[in-house]
Amino acid sequence: MHRLRTTVVRLRPIAAPQTAKSQSQARLAAVGGALRTFQPMRSYTASVSAEPFLNGTSSNYVEEMYYAWLENPRSVHKSWDIFFRNANAGAPPGAAYQSPPPLGGAALGLANAQAMVGVQPNVEKLVEDHLAVQSLVRAYQIRGHHVAQLDPLGIMAAIDPGPPPSDIITSNDKLEFYGLDESDLDKVFRLPTTTFIGGSESTLPLREIIQRLEMAYCQSIGVEFMFINDLEQCQWIRQKFERPGIMQFTLEEKRTLLARMVRSTRSRKGYLKLGIGLISGLGDIDLTSCLTSCFLLARFEEFLQRKWSSEKRFGLEGCESLIPALKTIIDKSSMNGVESIIMGMPHRGRLNVLANVIRKELDQIFCQFDSKLEAADEGSGDVKYHLGMWHRRINRVTDRNITLSLMANPSHLEAVDPVVQGKTKAEQFYCGDTEGNRVMSILLHGDAAFAGQGVVYETFHLSDLPSYTTHGTIHVVVNNQIGFTTDPRVARSSSYPTDVAKVVNAPIFHVNADDPEAVMYVCNVAAEWRATFHKDVVVDLVCYRRNGHNEMDEPMFTQPLMYKQIKKQKGVLQKYAEKLIAEGAVTRQEYEEEIAKYDKICEEAHARSKDEKILHIKHWLDSPWPGFFNMDGQPKSMTSPSTGLTEEELGHIGHIASSVPVEDFTIHGGLSRILKGRAAMVGQRVCDWALGEYMAFGSLLKEGTHIRLSGQDVERGTFSHRHHVLHDQNVDKRICIPMNHIAPNQAPYTVCNSSLSEYGVLGFELGFAMASPNALVLWEAQFGDFHNTAQCIIDQFICPGQAKWVRQNGIVLLLPHGMEGMGPEHSSARPERFLQMCNEDPDAYPLIVFTPKSLLRHPDAKSNFDDMLPGTHFQRLIPDSGPVCEKPDGVKRIVFCTGKVYYELTRERKNRGMDNTVAIARIEQLSPFPFDQVKVETDRYPNADLVWCQEEHKNQGYYDYVKPRLRTTVDRTRPVWYDQPPSLTPLCFVLKVFSLLSHVCMCECVFMYMCV
Ligand SMILES: Cc1ncc(C[n+]2csc(CCOP(=O)(O)OP(=O)(O)O)c2C)c(N)n1
């Protein structure tokens, strides 16, 4: 039978055997992979002399019979059926054939034949073998990446270090796993519909099947995708990697492309258009730019090393393919209609990306190395490998405009991930790109950070949520198999650094970064995946780090063997150039000319950079706000206009807030009562906090300001006070957002419950707020103390963003705060931490609001409409308007406070009969401190001593911030009293005892020592 199959195969050879062979050889050559039993090459087997009727022209017929029989054994004559069964059961040459049964004696002849080999076992064997082949195909699809030749160093130290899986045929004896042996290798099997290795053929000999699977899954690319739940997506990936010849490059195509590359590179300085190669297998990959990018990249790093050998630059050597990888993604995405790409990346290779992907002028980069430059902008600036950049230019491959921005980022690895996502979402939102067809993001990661940092996981979890999705991010991991000095085996518990991406069903393409064509191929597929499915995808560039963590570090201290290997390693450019020179695609002379040319470009830029005397951080802005700043870089309008609304507007918004503005919508009975209560307040011309928020949001929306409120359970409000999203009690998922029914031409209101994350979500909203100064973007913590898991966003972006990157941001943080016995530390939003970050600069800084909890329902915590009419303003300080105003000279004490404590103090003052002698002033805006208004109050009561009152202990809350400012206000002429002892926790009291004890303590402090 094997001869029959051999004949069949021989008569109809698999398409383009030569290309398959040359392709595999090229790959192996490129990556220096070791040969295995099943090299992806076609083999031809012996003649068929033992079955004479199979020779010559009859074999076509036999082939047809055989395929028909494979489909359905009854479709062929019984004699053929018996023949095929016998042959398949291993009948020796010549023995498979049985004479056709005589006419009229069919039953007897058949019975004899069947008796000879036994039908049942043959069928079973046939079925078993086919099932085995199906399993084998599946095994390669699932686990082929485990044996792919991914590691350019060939030490596989970091990549899945276990033994190869036993169901991958790395040697002939592995066939046993499937109940097969070598004699089965030339049997022909029908291919399952879940593979595309057959191309136009539906059957293949086992040997060929294995070779093609090796080709698809075990070369320079390891594809991890079989965990994806969606069959269509799996099929899409299979056909991208399995189709024969899909990654094929002909010599002729390379020659053409390289000729174009050589031409275009010569005129590179004038940014002339590069040639684009339409390569059959790759679609329209630009191979010229692949080589050019490697080339530029290598020369760029080399140049920096030569000029500033003792400077840290976190060079990319060892992962030179990153630049062509990014350019491929950008080109392909631009072809698919993307106009703006927002990128986030760590230190490694950042200068190179700025120079060769974003195209920051080289002299601007070089002058960053000059320590004598004077800063022209405020603030301290940041190290050069953290700076961002925004650039609109023509994509030379597609001839279309593309805007590229690389977000500035702090040292904190991966912290920028959610920020990039938020900015991307905002850009999509403002240009009406609901599918992510025009704006997208690319995130770069280091392998250690991608595996280790939790914010990566948090960011992935935003990727498919309606109000947070950016419709697919392309992640590129620079997997240099080391993190600073730490080996992966002690840095992560997962096989790959990329395993985290599996939570969102993102396919993961591991690729040997020393095979630039394979890198380009997977990047192309990644960009197509994103354009097709609008989902995340990961490209894992398995590479190495030629130097230490930075250029000053000695890596041999800790990774001696790895670095011995690295020292022997030829650079990828050299390897690739040698390959193409050997192929005749480029001459050595052309290659050397290009090196000289690029060096000259760098030298000229270096000379120009010396003329720079002043460093403008503003030239490195990643998010310019056009129209917002004047020529001096100051915001055009920082006045504080009246926030008042007309009676009619207040009434109208109040009406919307207390009604259901759509027909046939059934709300919960409890909510009806809440809305009735709101209607009653509107009737009485007062607002509680929730209604006040409605007034603020509603009026801004009406004026055309987009508002986005995000956070855990914000739609209803943690304390069930807000109810901005109404739910129909009878129709699943039918909702109504009354705030979007304020006025016909209003701006949209986005209110969205977030995933249960603070770090990721606050980062996201910060990024969203970065995109435009003309929107109100708010993040609400469920309880104020929860902001501490997002502390990195506050400390690294919100607080120092202006000083480091002259980047302003108007995000608002709503942090429920108040000592209400909810656990010692859970009650405090830690205002002291925020105040510590403040100076008195009134620029467009973020706003931190310590919002109420119990005061949401306190009967006295209400404002009259009169306080909101035209001409009114936000009150930075609310003075005492009670009896003390009549005889201020008689006031013995003025108590300054903020927040809910005011209500407790007024009650206690009344209880103690001190309404005429104690004034209480509320400081509503702590920073910038309202010196002017505090002075008015202190002057008003010349005989009063000054007390600061807060619920929090002395070492917490506002005291340390307020005290020196109060004293400055009164020129240190009067002391400022405060007497809560310091404590480790915000307040140690719990539940019922809390309110009693804390109240007594505090009131004693405020009122007891008064000399009245
Ligand atoms: C959150 C955080 N923790 C620690 C560091 C210190 N650090 C800087 S680089 C680095 C190693 C990063 O390794 P990897 O992610 O693999 O990137 P590589 O430097 O190898 O490119 C560490 C631990 C940091 N920058 N950020």
Side-chain angles (χ1 to χ4, degrees):
M1 188 63 180
H2 68 278
R3 279 179 291 272
L4 164 65
R5 289 170 190 160
T6 305
T7 308
V8 168
V9 172
R10 197 171 172 188
L11 287 170
R12 187 186 277 183
I14 303 300
Q18 232 30 68
T19 56
K21 180 178 175 183
S22 56
Q23 180 184 358
S24 72
Q25 286 173 338
R27 286 273 181 285
L28 290 168
V31 301
L35 291 186
R36 288 213 301 264
T37 305
F38 290 93
Q39 284 313 304
M41 305 171 205
R42 272 192 70 73
S43 60
Y44 293 88
T45 46
S47 75
V48 293
S49 55
E51 306 278 16
F53 69 94
L54 295 179
N55 286 322
T57 52
S58 64
S59 9
N60 269 339
Y61 172 68
V62 176
E63 183 191 348
E64 301 240 319
M65 281 294 166
Y66 180 61
Y67 288 142
W69 176 80
L70 274 177
E71 290 263 3
N72 175 8
R74 286 163 184 263
S75 67
V76 299
H77 186 267
K78 262 294 171 231
S79 59
W80 279 113
D81 181 24
I82 292 164
F83 173 77
F84 289 137
R85 281 167 200 255
N86 288 345
N88 194 62
Y97 174 73
Q98 295 289 306
S99 311
L103 282 175
L108 182 63
L110 188 62
N112 287 344
Q114 284 177 347
M116 189 193 109
V117 291
V119 171
Q120 241 4 68
N122 293 345
V123 172
E124 266 172 29
K125 169 84 172 123
L126 189 68
V127 170
E128 272 169 18
D129 286 357
H130 271 80
L131 287 177
V133 170
Q134 294 218 1
S135 308
L136 186 141
V137 170
R138 201 171 172 76
Y140 271 88
Q141 292 170 337
I142 297 174
R143 276 177 290 279
H145 55 87
H146 286 290
V147 293
Q149 295 151 29
L150 300 177
D151 179 9
L153 299 178
I155 54 179
M156 299 293 278
I159 306 159
D160 193 37
S166 45
D167 54 355
I168 300 293
I169 312 300
T170 46
S171 54
N172 276 353
D173 56 340
K174 293 282 189 81
L175 286 166
E176 250 180 70
F177 181 86
Y178 295 98
L180 299 167
D181 58 35
E182 278 188 73
S183 70
D184 292 309
L185 284 173
D186 293 314
K187 286 185 187 169
V188 174
F189 290 88
R190 177 153 292 278
L191 296 166
T193 53
T194 49
T195 186
F196 295 86
I197 55 170
S200 56
E201 292 170 80
S202 55
T203 58
L204 286 178
L206 179 57
R207 188 187 303 280
E208 185 69 29
I209 290 174
I210 297 172
Q211 283 164 355
R212 291 189 185 198
L213 289 169
E214 285 273 331
M215 174 71 90
Y217 292 111
C218 307
Q219 303 302 297
S220 299
I221 299 171
V223 192
E224 261 194 295
F225 70 105
M226 287 292 279
F227 52 84
I228 295 176
N229 297 327
D230 185 297
L231 176 65
E232 185 200 343
Q233 292 172 8
C234 284
Q235 290 289 75
W236 188 92
I237 292 174
R238 286 178 187 130
Q239 56 99 11
K240 287 286 174 203
F241 290 94
E242 291 184 353
R243 270 189 200 291
I246 195 147
M247 283 179 259
Q248 174 192 340
F249 309 85
T250 69
L251 195 61
E252 196 46 46
E253 283 166 333
K254 288 182 185 180
R255 252 193 221 113
T256 313
L257 288 166
L258 281 163
R260 288 180 186 168
M261 185 276 283
V262 169
R263 278 200 306 276
S264 58
T265 315
R266 277 193 178 136
S267 46
R268 209 191 107 64
K269 202 177 169 194
Y271 293 138
L272 293 190
K273 189 172 177 291
L274 279 171
I276 305 169
L278 296 173
I279 303 173
S280 54
L282 281 168
D284 39 12
I285 275 186
D286 179 356
L287 216 120
T288 58
S289 78
C290 167
L291 195 75
T292 311
S293 305
C294 280
F295 173 76
L296 296 180
L297 175 135
R299 299 310 299 168
F300 179 78
E301 296 290 359
E302 205 269 345
F303 185 83
L304 294 183
Q305 178 61 28
R306 207 160 9 104
K307 293 288 177 196
W308 296 281
S309 56
S310 58
E311 280 270 351
K312 283 188 202 172
R313 63 187 154 86
F314 297 102
L316 201 48
E317 295 98 324
C319 194
E320 281 85 347
S321 320
L322 175 69
I323 300 298
L326 292 176
K327 287 164 84 82
T328 303
I329 292 169
I330 292 167
D331 293 347
K332 186 79 187 174
S333 303
S334 168
M335 273 174 218
N336 287 327
V338 169
E339 296 158 8
S340 173
I341 298 183
I342 295 133
M343 295 166 56
M345 72 175 294
H347 49 280
R348 176 94 39 229
R350 196 176 174 99
L351 296 176
N352 216 314
V353 169
L354 282 166
N356 291 319
V357 178
I358 314 269
R359 295 223 186 285
K360 181 85 187 161
E361 301 85 348
L362 289 179
D363 41 326
Q364 286 295 313
I365 294 178
F366 296 158
C367 75
Q368 287 283 325
F369 285 86
D370 186 347
S371 55
K372 293 187 293 295
L373 282 185
E374 272 180 42
D377 319 276
E378 61 187 302
S380 52
D382 200 354
V383 286
K384 49 191 165 295
Y385 38 83
H386 285 171
L387 295 176
M389 166 80 190
W390 182 97
H391 192 198
R392 177 171 293 142
R393 64 176 171 83
I394 292 278
N395 179 287
R396 291 177 293 171
V397 172
T398 58
D399 247 344
R400 295 179 181 168
N401 262 321
I402 186 121
T403 303
L404 298 173
S405 43
L406 177 65
M407 303 286 279
N409 68 316
S411 281
H412 286 54
L413 294 166
E414 305 292 343
V416 81
D417 298 359
V419 185
V420 167
Q421 295 307 304
K423 177 149 188 252
T424 308
K425 183 75 185 172
E427 284 205 9
Q428 290 173 348
F429 179 82
Y430 293 124
C431 73
D433 180 17
T434 52
E435 303 290 323
N437 293 325
R438 294 167 59 194
V439 182
M440 66 173 269
S441 57
I442 301 176
L443 284 179
L444 277 73
H445 314 268
D447 52 320
F450 198 49
Q453 289 293 304
V455 71
V456 174
Y457 179 87
E458 291 188 30
T459 308
F460 267 119
H461 266 293
L462 298 176
S463 69
D464 219 8
L465 306 180
S467 299
Y468 302 84
T469 178
T470 53
H471 307 282
T473 298
I474 301 181
H475 300 262
V476 181
V477 182
V478 174
N479 181 357
N480 53 23
Q481 311 186 57
I482 191 167
F484 210 146
T485 65
T486 303
D487 288 328
R489 74 198 149 81
V490 290
R492 61 171 195 259
S493 297
S494 57
S495 298
Y496 294 103
T498 50
D499 283 5
V500 61
K502 291 183 185 173
V503 291
V504 293
N505 276 295
I508 300 162
F509 305 138
H510 308 282
V511 56
N512 187 320
D514 262 14
D515 184 347
E517 290 171 9
V519 170
M520 301 250 311
Y521 185 76
V522 294
C523 288
N524 222 22
V525 175
E528 270 185 54
W529 164 273
R530 196 236 165 227
T532 309
F533 297 108
H534 291 287
K535 283 173 61 85
D536 283 29
V537 51
V538 179
V539 174
D540 178 23
L541 294 177
V542 185
C543 55
Y544 57 94
R545 192 186 69 192
R546 184 163 292 281
N547 302 311
H549 174 60
N550 62 56
E551 290 64 30
M552 306 297 102
D553 265 347
E554 173 51 84
M556 293 287 281
F557 284 148
T558 49
Q559 273 77 20
L561 297 188
M562 185 187 212
Y563 271 81
K564 272 183 197 158
Q565 178 61 36
I566 289 174
K567 279 181 186 159
K568 286 189 230 148
Q569 197 80 7
K570 264 189 202 170
V572 62
L573 172 66
Q574 194 189 343
K575 277 203 261 183
Y576 191 55
E578 278 171 10
K579 174 177 175 277
L580 294 194
I581 291 169
E583 285 176 13
V586 66
T587 67
R588 187 163 295 282
Q589 191 190 348
E590 284 167 331
Y591 170 63
E592 281 165 5
E593 276 174 12
E594 286 310 320
I595 290 182
K597 187 171 279 296
Y598 190 67
D599 283 356
K600 189 162 172 265
I601 290 171
C602 288
E603 287 293 354
E604 284 169 4
H606 182 229
R608 282 198 304 280
S609 76
K610 289 186 170 159
D611 299 338
E612 292 282 343
K613 298 281 176 277
I614 293 180
L615 177 65
H616 295 274
I617 303 288
K618 279 201 181 80
H619 292 172
W620 295 80
L621 267 181
D622 58 17
S623 311
W625 287 350
F628 189 77
F629 297 102
N630 60 24
M631 295 297 279
D632 299 331
Q634 298 304 317
K636 277 184 187 158
S637 164
M638 284 305 288
T639 55
S640 186
S642 165
T643 51
L645 303 176
T646 64
E647 188 85 35
E648 193 192 351
E649 284 169 320
L650 289 168
H652 173 66
I653 298 170
H655 169 69
I656 295 285
S658 47
S659 58
V660 182
V662 291
E663 300 285 311
D664 299 328
F665 195 98
T666 312
I667 58 170
H668 188 269
L671 184 56
S672 298
R673 280 193 293 283
I674 291 173
L675 297 191
K676 267 195 201 127
R678 278 186 191 166
M681 276 192 283
V682 175
Q684 294 155 14
R685 301 183 67 252
V686 292
C687 286
D688 63 1
W689 179 278
L691 192 53
E693 189 179 74
Y694 235 106
M695 298 295 183
F697 286 11
S699 54
L700 283 169
L701 292 166
K702 191 161 164 273
E703 287 166 14
T705 301
H706 167 239
I707 300 179
R708 178 181 163 98
L709 170 63
S710 146
Q712 292 150 29
D713 307 295
V714 294
E715 295 178 5
R716 189 200 74 170
T718 297
F719 309 102
S720 200
H721 64 292
R722 183 174 286 132
H723 296 286
H724 283 187
V725 179
L726 313 181
H727 292 258
D728 195 316
Q729 299 293 302
N730 301 324
V731 185
D732 188 31
K733 298 193 185 78
R734 184 172 179 225
I735 57 164
C736 166
I737 302 176
M739 200 79 84
N740 276 325
H741 295 257
I742 303 261
N745 297 321
Q746 70 168 86
Y749 176 51
T750 311
V751 55
C752 39
N753 288 348
S754 74
S755 77
L756 211 167
S757 138
E758 286 82 24
Y759 190 175
V761 175
L762 178 56
F764 187 98
E765 301 311 334
L766 184 84
F768 200 106
M770 228 167 247
S772 166
N774 302 317
L776 176 61
V777 181
L778 309 100
W779 173 72
E780 183 174 72
Q782 188 126 67
F783 277 74
D785 58 323
F786 293 136
H787 81 257
N788 56 14
T789 49
Q791 196 68 46
C792 175
I793 297 295
I794 295 162
D795 289 347
Q796 265 57 46
F797 287 91
I798 294 182
C799 175
Q802 170 94 9
K804 290 197 293 187
W805 311 309
V806 286
R807 185 164 69 188
Q808 302 197 335
N809 193 299
I811 192 166
V812 176
L813 272 58
L814 303 179
L815 307 179
H817 171 76
M819 303 300 166
E820 287 162 16
M822 299 291 284
E825 86 301 332
H826 183 39
S827 306
S828 175
R830 296 290 194 168
E832 64 275 11
R833 294 187 185 159
F834 292 92
L835 290 170
Q836 204 183 35
M837 296 174 184
C838 294
N839 63 14
E840 307 301 333
D841 188 343
D843 265 3
Y845 278 140
L847 172 66
I848 318 292
V849 185
F850 296 98
T851 57
K853 293 181 283 189
S854 63
L855 290 197
L856 292 171
R857 295 191 173 77
H858 193 291
D860 296 337
K862 293 203 173 94
S863 296
N864 196 282
F865 276 16
D866 290 341
D867 296 330
M868 303 176 197
L869 291 174
T872 56
H873 286 79
F874 166 69
Q875 288 180 266
R876 289 175 293 146
L877 181 147
I878 304 178
D880 199 324
S881 54
V884 285
C885 300
E886 285 158 25
K887 278 197 181 162
D889 287 353
V891 170
K892 302 288 182 198
R893 171 162 287 183
I894 171 165
V895 182
F896 289 96
C897 65
T898 190
K900 98 178 205 305
V901 71
Y902 166 79
Y903 295 93
E904 286 158 32
L905 290 177
T906 47
R907 198 179 62 204
E908 193 61 23
R909 178 175 64 177
K910 192 172 198 61
N911 290 345
R912 296 184 185 226
M914 294 177 173
D915 281 353
N916 294 314
T917 49
V918 176
I920 303 175
R922 286 174 273 176
I923 298 184
E924 295 291 298
Q925 176 185 295
L926 287 149
S927 176
F929 193 72
F931 288 98
D932 52 338
Q933 297 188 345
V934 171
K935 179 143 178 45
V936 170
E937 291 309 296
T938 51
D939 288 352
R940 191 195 310 265
Y941 309 109
N943 303 320
D945 58 12
L946 307 182
V947 168
W948 171 255
C949 176
Q950 64 181 29
E951 294 176 298
E952 298 82 359
H953 286 279
K954 196 170 185 174
N955 55 332
Q956 292 154 26
Y958 321 90
Y959 176 66
D960 280 339
Y961 172 86
V962 168
K963 183 185 170 186
R965 287 167 174 79
L966 276 180
R967 295 199 68 205
T968 301
T969 315
V970 294
D971 279 342
R972 298 170 189 269
T973 50
R974 286 187 257 176
V976 176
W977 299 103
Y978 180 82
D979 216 4
Q980 285 271 35
S983 165
L984 287 181
T985 58
L987 269 180
C988 333
F989 313 120
V990 285
L991 298 177
K992 284 190 185 150
V993 280
F994 165 79
S995 55
L996 183 66
L997 286 175
S998 69
H999 184 80
V1000 170
C1001 277
M1002 189 180 68
C1003 293
E1004 286 307 301
C1005 294
V1006 172
F1007 299 108
M1008 204 174 78
Y1009 306 112
M1010 242 180 83
C1011 337
V1012 280

